[in-house]
Amino acid sequence: MADSISFIPGGVTAPQGFRANGIHCGIRRNKSKKDLALIVADTDCAAAGIYTRNLVCGAPITVTRAHIADGKARAVICNSGIANTCEADGVEKAEGMCALASQVLGIPAADFIVASTGVIGQPLDLAPIENGMAELTAGLTEDDSGSDAAAQAIMTTDTHKKEFAVSFTLGGKPCKIGAIAKGSGMIHPNMATMLCFVTTDAAVAAPVLEQALRDAADETFHMMSIDGDTSTNDTVCVMASGHCGNRMIEQASGADYEAFYQALLAVCRAIVRELARDGEGATKLIVCRTHGAKTLEAARKSAKSVICSSLVKAAMFGSDANWGRILCAIGYSGADVDVSAIDVKFVSSAGEIEVCKNGAGIEFSEELAKKVLTPDEVIMDVSLGSGDYGAEAYGCDLTYDYVKINGDYRT
């Protein structure tokens, strides 16, 4: 089992056997914004993915599902700017992206994960992708700069890249997991987030990789919301090269599996916190931490309902200790809770303040509450007082700028 998990520089190129790049090919009008990303493994990888449950589903998801149905993949190609969703020939275009990269790299088109993000319903032109393929593939590198470029190329309204990597050990072998992600709006995952690509040099069988990814998503991606809108293109995929030389993990149990899972969980949690922090127009990350729940389901439902509440989010923007909105959100969450046992306090780098005890208000300093709620990360600590289960959910405040950004998103 891993002695420790350490965050290290880099992203998808931190693990052995992966190269990446990102360029501006012309899908987006702004030439300063990269819009085409590529991640390539040196060898075939075990692969797994989870996707949006929105019935309006991006064509790249249909193609990726089919491509990794055999549990393996070799590369990821992704564009930003156009979502390739609600297009009559969307599947053909997603397959076309894979074919263009396949011709240059000599990797079968069926071994590509493909993704798109951006405006829904506008046609995706493959000509810029074809014209940019030589530059994209020529610039592939295992250096951190490759992951950096790919992370930038998948961004839409993100204000900064999301990129993390960790090191850990499996059976005495040093291993790594890296990831890049994008997402700032239309985020209320029913599986994952907008887009997240994970690489690892650990040897993990594909079915086990999928189980680990699904369990990690339940603790992280499924516990995040920015605006309550589930995207059409949500995708999280992971590729495992096995280059670190550990003994193959073939069961979702045991010390090695637990070590791998905890490392994957650490990366996913870091990604989710950064996605929530960078929500469209957001000024602060808000975390609802529940504990004392009767069941894990009750802990998760309560926490997620709180960070999804528009009224709670607006109160956090105004640094207003309106704790009644938190109880309200828990009350309609569907969670099995005793509302008369709920305690609430706010916690931040500026201190902490208790505002509710046993489901009722208590006297507190509004001045201190304002101070506690002003920093760019605020925790709503909620004791449900009825059991031993807990959970965390991640969101952001609701600001005027969210409306501004989404009022003219297409233009």
Side-chain angles (χ1 to χ4, degrees):
M1 184 170 178
D3 295 325
S4 63
I5 299 168
S6 300
F7 279 87
I8 59 175
V12 290
T13 56
Q16 299 177 61
F18 294 93
R19 296 174 295 152
N21 191 24
I23 65 166
H24 173 81
C25 71
I27 297 171
R28 304 178 74 166
R29 291 191 293 266
N30 188 337
K31 293 182 179 180
S32 68
K33 292 184 177 291
K34 292 180 171 64
D35 54 14
L36 187 62
L38 183 63
I39 305 167
V40 179
D42 292 346
T43 57
D44 287 346
C45 295
I50 48 179
Y51 317 92
T52 186
R53 293 175 184 168
N54 193 323
L55 294 180
V56 180
C57 176
I61 291 177
T62 301
V63 173
T64 295
R65 281 183 188 275
H67 283 191
I68 67 171
D70 59 359
K72 68 183 184 73
R74 181 79 182 273
V76 176
I77 185 164
C78 175
N79 75 275
S80 62
I82 301 293
N84 192 8
T85 299
C86 299
E87 285 198 68
D89 58 351
V91 169
E92 289 79 1
K93 288 181 177 178
E95 292 282 15
M97 287 175 63
C98 300
L100 289 170
S102 170
Q103 292 166 13
V104 179
L105 294 170
I107 296 171
D111 287 342
F112 278 83
I113 290 165
V114 59
S116 299
T117 182
V119 179
I120 296 169
Q122 291 191 357
L124 175 64
D125 185 0
L126 293 186
I129 297 174
E130 182 175 12
N131 294 336
M133 196 57 61
E135 178 188 355
L136 182 66
T137 54
L140 286 167
T141 177
E142 62 187 15
D143 295 339
D144 289 350
S145 61
S147 181
D148 175 83
Q152 291 184 47
I154 65 174
M155 291 165 51
T156 50
T157 57
D158 307 63
T159 64
H160 60 270
K161 67 175 181 177
K162 285 84 176 177
E163 178 185 52
F164 292 96
V166 297
S167 64
F168 60 108
T169 58
L170 288 175
K173 303 288 186 181
C175 298
K176 296 175 182 176
I177 297 176
I180 60 172
K182 66 81 51 185
S184 193
M186 196 183 279
I187 296 183
H188 181 78
N190 250 335
M191 43 48 62
T193 181
M194 283 289 286
L195 294 177
C196 182
F197 306 117
V198 183
T199 60
T200 180
D201 47 20
V204 187
V208 178
L209 198 62
E210 181 173 357
Q211 183 65 57
L213 184 60
R214 290 188 179 280
D215 288 348
D218 283 343
E219 290 197 54
T220 57
F221 295 112
H222 288 163
M223 296 301 293
M224 172 183 59
S225 181
I226 287 176
D227 50 20
D229 276 286
T230 297
S231 168
T232 59
N233 289 48
D234 287 352
T235 299
V236 174
C237 287
V238 56
M239 296 192 296
S241 70
H243 281 15
C244 82
N246 67 292
R247 186 175 180 178
M248 177 70 71
I249 301 174
E250 297 183 303
Q251 300 290 333
S253 60
D256 281 356
Y257 174 78
E258 185 62 21
F260 174 78
Y261 177 73
Q262 291 300 325
L264 177 64
L265 184 63
V267 170
C268 291
R269 182 172 286 117
I271 286 287
V272 162
R273 284 175 57 86
E274 203 59 31
L275 288 167
R277 188 187 301 277
D278 194 32
E280 287 175 341
T283 66
K284 62 186 71 171
L285 167 67
I286 60 173
V287 178
C288 183
R289 179 183 296 156
T290 57
H291 50 93
K294 295 177 184 179
T295 63
L296 181 58
E297 180 185 28
R300 288 178 172 172
K301 276 187 174 181
S302 298
K304 185 74 175 287
S305 186
V306 170
I307 60 98
C308 286
S309 165
S310 294
L311 290 175
V312 170
K313 290 157 65 68
M316 291 301 99
F317 173 56
S319 300
D320 177 12
N322 196 337
W323 58 268
R325 292 179 177 180
I326 295 174
L327 264 66
C328 178
I330 294 172
Y332 62 64
S333 69
D336 181 11
V337 298
D338 177 0
V339 294
S340 67
I342 298 175
D343 300 341
V344 178
K345 66 179 176 180
F346 297 112
V347 182
S348 75
S349 59
E352 62 180 65
I353 185 167
E354 191 171 24
V355 294
C356 170
K357 190 75 174 175
N358 295 324
I362 58 176
E363 289 189 16
F364 63 89
S365 166
E366 292 285 357
E367 183 180 355
L368 175 58
K370 191 83 171 180
K371 179 181 177 183
V372 171
L373 293 175
T374 297
D376 63 5
E377 180 174 337
V378 174
I379 297 170
M380 294 170 283
D381 185 280
V382 179
S383 172
L384 298 172
S386 303
D388 300 320
Y389 294 90
E392 280 191 354
Y394 312 90
C396 61
D397 56 347
L398 179 60
T399 72
Y400 309 124
D401 284 340
Y402 178 83
V403 177
K404 291 179 182 178
I405 290 167
N406 285 284
D408 59 1
Y409 179 75
R410 292 193 308 133
T411 56

